[in-house]
Amino acid sequence: MSNFFDSRVARWLDDRLDLSPIKNLVEHKKVPIHHHTVWYYMGGVTLFLFLVQVFSGILLLMYYRPGENSAYESMQFITSKVHFGWLIRNIHAWGANIMVLFAFIHMFSVFFTKAFKRPRELTWATGFILLVLAMGFGFSGYLLPWNELAFFATKVGTDIAGVVPIIGEKLKIVLRGGDDVTGATLSRFFGIHVAILPALTTVLLGLHLLFVQRQGMSEPEFFEELPEAKKHYIPFFPDFVLRDALLWLVVLIIILSLAVFFPWELGLKADPLASAPMGIRPEWYFMFMFQSLKFLPPHILFFEGETLGVLFFAVAGIFWMLIPFVKLQNGSINESKFFTYFGLATLAFMLGMTILGYLV
Amino acid sequence: MTKIGRRDFVNYLLGFGGISAIAAIFYPIGRYLVPPPIREAEPTTLKVGSIDEFPANSSKIVRFGRKPVILIRDSGENIHALTATCTHLDCIVQFSEDRQQIICACHNGVYDLTGKNVSGPPPKPLTEFAVKVIDKEIVISQMKA
């Protein structure tokens, strides 16, 4: 990389644009080496998976036709007639799931290594919003093939939005483009999936990456406390980037294998007059919320159980996003330990509810 | 003979692997982008309606398979059927009653009623279809070459 900055092209660009910040980053960015270094790769993998989604999504757009009478048919056309259409569709479907998985792993690893703390509060907050957007991508994209499962999942999902106090009913109608899930909903979800969410994600991802580059790699407390002589680093360019690239390749191979050996079924075309099929459930990353709502009694005090549940998740989400700003006043509690236990409890709750969701 | 060092060997291997990987990614994408042919039955004949409902000095455009065909009944009671796409740049042509010609509005191409390109940019004539009237029903069919 350092050779590049001596080249004529680089000098030409440097005269006009001042490449010194990039040069500085390339030459001086370093990655601490310790027994939690592996977690530094998770964000990069999520970014890579996002790019895979962007490219495979653009390819799907070449043939996909939104609409009650064309969406399912165009998906059938893609998977059965277009060369490698089945592959592109399955990469997109598997990639989506794995991207959300890695986003979760990235978030929890940042949480447990306490990398969200000052000065990285904004990196954490933008990251959390990106995860919510990724879940929005998953939810809106799920409907697009217009099959039976997607149709009912969307009915349930948008119905849950309806229980939000005061604005719920309006929100539901805006989301559905009417009272019910119809072709109008499909148009809306398509617009959300290919225009609104990508626009928001581009801005937030830009900020998130900018913050990461400005601040450099976070060093965990135990590493910071080491004497300088015992701190080991590797250069970001090219050492870390090459390792990252290798991991990206491994992840790509995993997605390809899943796409080839475990293709997603298209299922039956959505029929608004058919009864919901057995075993209808949301995508796995919504399961913990879906399952928790099922456990709530119909009424809690003066509120409907579901309303309270939805409010709880909304408040919990906001709290989780703002967690870097939480200061514990009481000196008797070890702040670091408190966060660890809190994170473990959250993770246990989410995992427990997800497993229950698949068992019950 | 020059000896290939260990480092060179690994570099060749990496280069070969890298090129193969790129090919393995771009080949499916290239194939994917080329749309598969959609087979549609090519009709040989087409009924286009009753002659009583098709007055003199009028025209209409019908679909013959995937191609638009212009059907013209001139002032002299003859019925003409021609491909309706201009041979210049693919616009759909129209019948000009007062000129008794076929014109293309896009770039002022002009054809006569047999489809011959008479003025303007069209390089080739319009293809003619055979027209028959069977039991007052107009039937058009592809002319045998």
Side-chain angles (χ1 to χ4, degrees):
Chain A
M1 222 33 203
S2 56
N3 297 341
F4 170 76
F5 289 104
D6 300 329
S7 70
R8 281 177 65 183
V9 177
R11 280 206 302 274
W12 189 89
L13 286 170
D14 193 34
D15 279 346
R16 286 150 185 85
L17 300 166
D18 181 21
L19 297 183
S20 58
I22 301 173
K23 192 176 178 205
N24 214 24
L25 181 82
V26 167
E27 286 176 357
H28 300 295
K29 188 173 179 182
K30 55 188 183 172
V31 180
I33 296 295
H34 48 77
H35 59 268
H36 283 306
T37 301
V38 62
W39 304 117
Y40 291 137
Y41 295 96
M42 299 302 135
V45 171
T46 313
L47 174 66
F48 168 70
L49 287 162
F50 176 70
L51 296 177
V52 169
Q53 289 310 98
V54 170
F55 286 117
S56 55
I58 289 172
L59 288 175
L60 287 175
L61 272 178
M62 303 279 145
Y63 293 103
Y64 177 75
R65 288 176 292 138
E68 232 170 325
N69 295 317
S70 57
Y72 182 82
E73 287 75 6
S74 67
M75 289 304 298
Q76 273 185 323
F77 182 71
I78 291 172
T79 46
S80 62
K81 293 279 191 306
V82 180
H83 293 293
F84 297 102
W86 58 273
L87 183 65
I88 306 289
R89 192 247 164 169
N90 276 298
I91 288 176
H92 199 70
W94 271 115
N97 282 281
I98 296 179
M99 180 181 84
V100 174
L101 176 68
F102 271 96
F104 269 110
I105 295 174
H106 177 46
M107 181 181 77
F108 276 107
S109 64
V110 165
F111 185 85
F112 286 118
T113 51
K114 315 288 171 349
F116 60 84
K117 285 187 170 179
R118 190 190 139 84
R120 294 185 174 78
E121 300 96 325
L122 293 175
T123 322
W124 169 265
T126 49
F128 179 77
I129 298 170
L130 281 168
L131 176 71
V132 173
L133 290 174
M135 291 168 82
F137 266 116
F139 184 64
S140 56
Y142 198 51
L143 180 68
L144 300 187
W146 198 243
N147 57 20
E148 216 179 16
L149 273 174
F151 178 77
F152 285 103
T154 307
K155 254 174 132 46
V156 175
T158 47
D159 211 53
I160 287 174
V163 305
V164 176
I166 308 164
I167 56 159
E169 203 52 35
K170 278 267 179 309
L171 183 68
K172 187 170 94 177
I173 290 175
V174 169
L175 272 176
R176 287 182 171 181
D179 286 326
D180 229 322
V181 175
T182 59
T185 321
L186 185 56
S187 296
R188 244 160 228 235
F189 273 41
F190 178 66
I192 293 170
H193 193 77
V194 306
I196 298 174
L197 291 175
L200 292 174
T201 305
T202 306
V203 173
L204 276 149
L205 188 60
L207 285 174
H208 191 70
L209 294 175
L210 179 73
F211 296 161
V212 172
Q213 297 316 322
R214 288 287 291 172
Q215 295 169 329
M217 294 302 203
S218 147
E219 297 180 2
E221 273 167 20
F222 69 85
F223 186 84
E224 269 183 336
E225 286 160 8
L226 288 176
E228 283 303 315
K230 289 217 164 156
K231 287 183 182 177
H232 296 297
Y233 295 93
I234 56 168
F236 186 76
F237 288 101
D239 300 39
F240 186 81
V241 170
L242 283 177
R243 290 175 198 202
D244 223 1
L246 188 64
L247 188 58
W248 292 12
L249 207 60
V250 170
V251 170
L252 184 65
I253 290 167
I254 292 172
I255 293 179
L256 288 173
S257 311
L258 288 168
V260 170
F261 296 111
F262 303 96
W264 287 77
E265 269 184 44
L266 191 53
L268 295 171
K269 186 178 170 173
D271 178 1
L273 298 177
S275 353
M278 292 304 285
I280 186 107
R281 54 167 75 108
E283 299 221 81
W284 60 269
Y285 40 88
F286 291 117
M287 189 53 114
F288 73 98
M289 291 192 265
F290 185 71
Q291 189 59 29
S292 314
L293 290 180
K294 275 211 247 174
F295 279 137
L296 290 174
H299 289 282
I300 302 169
L301 295 173
F302 307 108
F303 301 99
E304 275 189 41
E306 231 177 37
T307 308
L308 220 55
V310 169
L311 277 180
F312 167 77
F313 281 117
V315 171
I318 293 168
F319 177 73
W320 187 252
M321 181 173 86
L322 298 177
I323 214 156
F325 300 99
V326 173
K327 289 276 170 292
L328 297 175
Q329 294 299 329
N330 193 340
S332 62
I333 303 170
N334 180 330
E335 202 177 74
S336 181
K337 274 212 172 117
F338 168 79
F339 279 128
T340 303
Y341 291 135
F342 181 73
L344 283 174
T346 307
L347 190 59
F349 169 76
M350 288 171 70
L351 285 177
M353 282 297 174
T354 305
I355 293 166
L356 269 178
Y358 282 96
L359 291 180
V360 179
Chain B
M1 203 178 103
T2 48
K3 257 179 97 177
I4 296 180
R6 190 189 298 253
R7 182 172 285 268
D8 288 334
F9 178 73
V10 171
N11 275 340
Y12 286 133
L13 217 59
L14 273 175
F16 179 74
I19 291 166
S20 312
I22 288 167
I25 289 170
F26 285 97
Y27 174 75
I29 293 177
R31 287 299 304 269
Y32 177 87
L33 288 175
V34 178
I38 301 166
R39 284 188 195 86
E40 216 171 296
E42 273 284 307
T44 48
T45 59
L46 181 74
K47 285 183 186 174
V48 287
S50 163
I51 188 150
D52 296 338
E53 290 159 15
F54 195 41
N57 265 328
S58 69
S59 71
K60 66 174 173 182
I61 290 175
V62 295
R63 268 171 66 106
F64 190 88
R66 262 189 286 170
K67 283 179 271 178
V69 168
I70 186 164
L71 207 65
I72 300 165
R73 187 161 177 188
D74 62 23
S75 49
E77 301 287 296
N78 297 315
I79 299 174
H80 310 269
L82 304 145
T83 47
T85 37
C86 182
T87 54
H88 177 221
L89 289 172
D90 244 16
C91 288
I92 302 291
V93 296
Q94 55 183 291
F95 172 55
S96 164
E97 238 178 85
D98 41 340
R99 289 162 64 177
Q100 290 291 306
Q101 281 178 320
I102 298 165
I103 57 168
C104 177
C106 290
H107 304 97
N108 295 326
V110 181
Y111 305 86
D112 68 15
L113 291 183
T114 64
K116 189 167 176 285
N117 44 330
V118 288
S119 75
K124 280 188 296 187
L126 300 171
T127 312
E128 227 182 336
F129 285 78
V131 181
K132 278 183 194 153
V133 179
I134 303 167
D135 290 342
K136 292 203 161 182
E137 187 89 35
I138 307 168
V139 179
I140 59 171
S141 54
Q142 243 155 5
M143 284 221 194
K144 291 192 180 84

